[in-house]
Amino acid sequence: VGCRVARVPASDGSGSCRVKIFYPAAAPAPEDAPYCLDGRATSDGMAGLVGFRQLGLAFLLAHLADAPSGCGLDAAPVATKLPLLVYSHGFGGNADMASYFLSEVAAAGSVVAAVEHTDGTASNTVLEDGTALPFAPGRLSRREQLDRRADELVDVAKALRGADGLPPLGETFLGGHSYGGPSALLAASRFACAGFVLHDPALGMGYASEAAARTVSFT
């Protein structure tokens, strides 16, 4: 499985978000892609989410900073046409947390784009100007968060069509974990997708429309 990182601009010109993309590779790559995009900043962000950093125990997750992802960095893609899954992380998640799961999904025959949201719900991300944005759930209202997340999913789904370094893309699916569930469902009201792949979706947070009838849920 190959892995590459892209930055996708917002359609409204408000900035851009990072995307970690997994795909079947045609051959092994000489370099392994890192598990954490930002090394210790990522692992410390996750440590803060579970309370370790506040107790001076951030070192308990420090091993993740240099952990391998098991994917080849910028590996050459296969030439086979494959479905695209655009995946939204949960509240306090990031583009790295589901790397092992999403790489397995990619290995089964798909391209998976893990979006790192800029609404303040990522445990840590880096904005277009290079500014670090740590977990800031109060940065936007809940409705504004979901709007931003849905827009970023749609922007990524559109931007990856014909992108260099990826296999040809077939149908597009939207997915997510927890808070990513309602984000994906809201995105589907703005973009025609073939279906959903939701993992423990927080459907009680709203936007669980008739689209939920087509949901495939991993629990």
Side-chain angles (χ1 to χ4, degrees):
V1 173
C3 178
R4 63 177 61 244
V5 179
R7 186 170 284 279
V8 172
S11 56
D12 63 3
S14 61
S16 63
C17 65
R18 296 193 300 188
V19 187
K20 194 172 187 179
I21 309 168
F22 304 90
Y23 54 92
E31 185 179 353
D32 195 64
Y35 175 77
C36 289
L37 290 179
D38 300 313
R40 190 62 187 265
T42 301
S43 66
D44 282 353
M46 291 189 284
L49 183 68
V50 295
F52 288 171
R53 187 174 60 196
Q54 295 87 330
L55 297 173
L57 300 175
F59 66 89
L60 291 175
L61 295 185
H63 64 285
L64 295 175
D66 302 313
S69 67
C71 302
L73 181 63
D74 296 332
V78 297
T80 309
K81 189 174 185 179
L82 299 172
L84 169 66
L85 170 62
V86 182
Y87 196 84
S88 174
H89 63 71
F91 194 80
N94 53 49
D96 303 317
M97 277 188 175
S99 288
Y100 298 131
F101 164 60
L102 296 181
S103 65
E104 289 296 322
V105 175
S110 63
V111 176
V112 184
V115 179
E116 193 163 81
H117 294 294
T118 63
D119 63 327
T121 63
S123 60
N124 183 77
T125 192
V126 175
L127 302 179
E128 186 174 28
D129 63 0
T131 302
L133 177 62
F135 184 56
R139 186 170 186 249
L140 299 175
S141 70
R142 183 62 54 85
R143 177 65 203 218
E144 290 170 333
Q145 287 174 356
L146 286 169
D147 276 334
R148 173 75 63 85
R149 286 168 147 263
D151 284 344
E152 288 175 338
L153 293 176
V154 173
D155 288 339
V156 170
K158 292 179 178 179
L160 295 188
R161 293 278 157 190
D164 293 335
L166 296 178
L169 299 178
E171 293 183 314
T172 298
F173 293 79
L174 299 175
H177 168 241
S178 189
Y179 199 27
S183 303
L185 292 172
L186 181 58
S189 69
R190 306 170 183 180
F191 176 84
C193 68
F196 301 94
V197 180
L198 306 180
H199 173 211
D200 263 348
L203 299 181
M205 299 177 77
Y207 309 110
S209 65
E210 65 278 359
R214 296 186 287 147
T215 296
V216 177
S217 179
F218 293 119
T219 56

